Amino acid sequence: GVNGFALDKEKGLKLIEESADRRISRSALPKALVQLALVYNGETLERDESKFMFYLKEAADLGHESAQRMLGISYKECSNEKEKTLHYVTLAASQGDLNACGMLGHYFSSAVCGLTKSLVLAKHYSEKNPEDELSAYILSCALLQLGNDRYEEIM
C-alpha cells in the first residue's frame, strides 16, 4: 500500500479509463492517455502491448511530445516499423523534445531506420541536447568528421 492505503489496481485502472473516456479537457486528455498507456506497460498491470500502443498513439496523435517519442521508440523496438518510428520521433523533436532530437542525431549519424548518413543533420539534432552524453558524443564525432572532410577538400 501507499501511505497506509491498500493498492487497488483494478479501481485505479477503472478511474483512469473513465477519465480518458470522458474526453476531459483538451490539455489534460493527452496526459491522461499517456498515464493509461503506462498502466499497460507492465509496471502497474501485466503488459498488454495492444492497449499500451493504442493509448500511446491516441496521446501522440493529440500532440503529446513525450508520447510521440515513446511511440516512435516502441515502433522501432517492437515491430521495426521504420517509417512510423521516424514519423513520431520527428514530430516530438519538432516540438522541442530534447531526447527525440538526440535520437534523430544518432539516427542520422548511424544511418538508422533507413536514413542516409548525414553528419550535417546529425550535428543539427545532436547540438540541441548537449547535456545528453550520447548526443554530445555524436555532436563531437560529427564536428570532427565535418572538419576532416573540409580539410580534405582544401588539400
Side-chain angles (χ1 to χ4, degrees):
V2 177
N3 294 329
F5 293 96
L7 283 179
D8 187 342
K9 291 180 182 180
E10 294 304 316
K11 184 176 181 181
L13 176 61
K14 183 179 176 195
L15 290 172
I16 292 172
E17 285 175 341
E18 286 174 3
S19 294
D21 287 341
R22 278 193 200 123
R23 301 293 181 208
I24 52 181
S25 74
R26 284 294 265 166
S27 63
L29 176 60
K31 295 174 190 169
L33 291 169
V34 169
Q35 291 304 311
L36 189 53
L38 294 175
V39 165
Y40 289 108
N41 197 26
E43 292 180 27
T44 306
L45 296 177
E46 186 174 321
R47 183 166 176 83
D48 184 327
E49 188 70 29
S50 64
K51 288 182 180 180
F52 171 72
M53 294 294 282
F54 173 79
Y55 288 115
L56 203 55
K57 186 175 184 320
E58 289 281 310
D61 289 343
L62 288 171
H64 193 280
E65 66 188 54
S66 295
Q68 292 167 338
R69 176 180 30 82
M70 289 188 291
L71 187 60
I73 292 168
S74 295
Y75 279 128
K76 185 174 187 305
E77 292 176 354
C78 300
S79 58
N80 201 24
E81 295 185 56
K82 296 173 185 176
E83 292 83 16
K84 288 182 180 180
T85 296
L86 288 173
H87 174 73
Y88 284 103
V89 172
T90 302
L91 284 175
S94 71
Q95 292 194 75
D97 185 296
L98 296 180
N99 291 322
C101 290
M103 291 170 61
L104 284 176
H106 167 67
Y107 291 174
F108 278 110
S109 73
S110 303
V112 175
C113 291
L115 291 173
T116 302
K117 184 174 183 173
S118 171
L119 295 174
V120 172
L121 289 172
K123 174 193 169 293
H124 170 76
Y125 285 107
S126 296
E127 69 188 357
K128 293 178 185 245
N129 191 8
E131 301 300 317
D132 177 63
E133 289 180 19
L134 179 59
S135 294
Y137 173 76
I138 291 168
L139 176 59
S140 299
C141 291
L143 289 171
L144 177 64
Q145 187 60 50
L146 287 168
N148 286 341
D149 291 350
R150 289 197 179 114
Y151 178 77
E152 289 175 9
E153 287 175 9
I154 295 170
M155 301 312 273

